[in-house]
Amino acid sequence: NAGVTQTPKFQVLKTGQSMTLQCAQDMNHEYMSWYRQDPGMGLRLIHYSVGAGITDQGEVPNGYNVSRSTTEDFPLRLLSAAPSQTSVYFCASSLRQGYNSPLHFGNGTRLTVT
Amino acid sequence: AQSVTQLDSQVPVFEEAPVELRCNYSSSVSVYLFWYVQYPNQGLQLLLKYLSGSTLVKGINGFEAEFNKSQTSFHLRKPSVHISDTAEYFCAVSMDTGRRALTFGSGTRLQVQP
């Protein structure tokens, strides 16, 4: 059972470069989301999706784009990386949006922007 | 708006001692409350959740939490900790209405010493 798979595990970018963080789940979950984790700040929601073709902004969406063309995949794009985007990024999914569906997390992507 | 405060950033404790990790929340509407655990270099896993009913909630690995509406608290407890409980613990809240996105606290690092 793969669950939620994130790639890559580590990435170093230079300011201004672009990249895509990949997230895939094999549990047929409707709801997928991206969080960033920074020391002393917990996890903050970047973007989320309640199904294929539907996305919405979270708490800290600036500088990030997402799309959801399939149920399984939810990539996060950084168009022009900035040092402020140095963080650990987590993808999470649940059967559906709502309090009664626990989130399943990937193991994270550690991104450093120099 | 909802918010979560975890008062202790680090809690050192000796093995087999009891522990309490504190969590307070603020919200103008009914909430659902969660505790997640993050082991080193992993994503978050659900420990327990309070949705309704009994205010004492039991979770995995011998943890329990008590919902106190008057004090707006949801403290996590374990009567006897093990070395393997060393991890970071996050309290999270979801509102009863609207988007129901999870808001996480800043985390408490539990360090169990032999």
Side-chain angles (χ1 to χ4, degrees), chain A residues 35 37 40-43 45 48 57 90 97 99-100 102-103 105-107, chain B residues 32 34 36 38 42-44 46 49 51 90 99-102 104-106:
Chain A
Y35 286 85
Q37 181 180 24
M41 301 187 74
L43 281 80
L45 181 65
Y48 67 96
Q57 296 181 350
F90 287 99
Q97 182 185 28
Y99 57 88
N100 211 17
L103 284 173
F105 283 81
N107 285 338
Chain B
Y32 304 105
F34 307 81
Y36 281 82
Q38 183 181 29
Q42 294 186 24
L44 281 69
L46 181 66
K49 60 184 177 184
L51 304 179
F90 292 92
R99 200 168 61 193
R100 294 180 175 169
L102 278 179
F104 286 87
S106 56

Side-chain angles (χ1 to χ4, degrees), chain B:
Chain B
Q2 61 201 33
S3 67
V4 180
T5 302
Q6 291 183 246
L7 297 168
D8 306 300
S9 59
Q10 293 189 56
V11 173
V13 63
F14 287 108
E15 194 173 18
E16 297 183 7
V19 70
E20 178 180 83
L21 306 184
R22 296 180 292 170
C23 172
N24 288 87
Y25 69 92
S26 66
S27 175
S28 57
V29 298
S30 296
V31 296
Y32 304 105
L33 296 155
F34 307 81
W35 276 99
Y36 281 82
V37 59
Q38 183 181 29
Y39 298 104
N41 299 314
Q42 294 186 24
L44 281 69
Q45 303 173 31
L46 181 66
L47 261 183
L48 49 79
K49 60 184 177 184
Y50 171 79
L51 304 179
S52 65
S54 173
T55 57
L56 184 63
V57 180
K58 294 190 184 296
I60 62 173
N61 300 337
F63 284 93
E64 63 182 31
E66 186 161 17
F67 171 57
N68 188 319
K69 188 174 182 179
S70 62
Q71 296 186 5
T72 61
S73 67
F74 191 54
H75 300 334
L76 181 70
R77 301 184 183 103
K78 187 169 183 178
S80 176
V81 295
H82 301 288
I83 295 287
S84 59
D85 292 323
T86 295
E88 188 143 21
Y89 293 79
F90 292 92
C91 183
V93 62
S94 174
M95 288 192 296
D96 187 19
T97 59
R99 200 168 61 193
R100 294 180 175 169
L102 278 179
T103 297
F104 286 87
S106 56
T108 297
R109 184 168 299 279
L110 176 64
Q111 297 168 309
V112 181
Q113 303 163 1

Side-chain angles (χ1 to χ4, degrees), chain A residues 28-45:
Chain A
N28 202 31
H29 283 175
E30 290 182 358
Y31 180 81
M32 297 186 74
S33 56
W34 278 100
Y35 286 85
R36 59 177 290 173
Q37 181 180 24
D38 301 292
M41 301 187 74
L43 281 80
R44 292 179 292 170
L45 181 65

Side-chain angles (χ1 to χ4, degrees), chain A residues 30-106:
Chain A
E30 290 182 358
Y31 180 81
M32 297 186 74
S33 56
W34 278 100
Y35 286 85
R36 59 177 290 173
Q37 181 180 24
D38 301 292
M41 301 187 74
L43 281 80
R44 292 179 292 170
L45 181 65
I46 304 172
H47 286 285
Y48 67 96
S49 167
V50 298
I54 306 170
T55 64
D56 202 353
Q57 296 181 350
E59 184 185 352
V60 288
N62 292 341
Y64 307 96
N65 281 348
V66 292
S67 60
R68 183 99 179 265
S69 56
T70 66
T71 299
E72 295 78 20
D73 300 299
F74 190 46
L76 179 71
R77 295 184 187 85
L78 285 72
L79 298 179
S80 179
S84 61
Q85 294 179 304
T86 293
S87 186
V88 181
Y89 292 84
F90 287 99
C91 180
S93 71
S94 63
L95 187 59
R96 61 184 62 84
Q97 182 185 28
Y99 57 88
N100 211 17
S101 290
L103 284 173
H104 297 255
F105 283 81

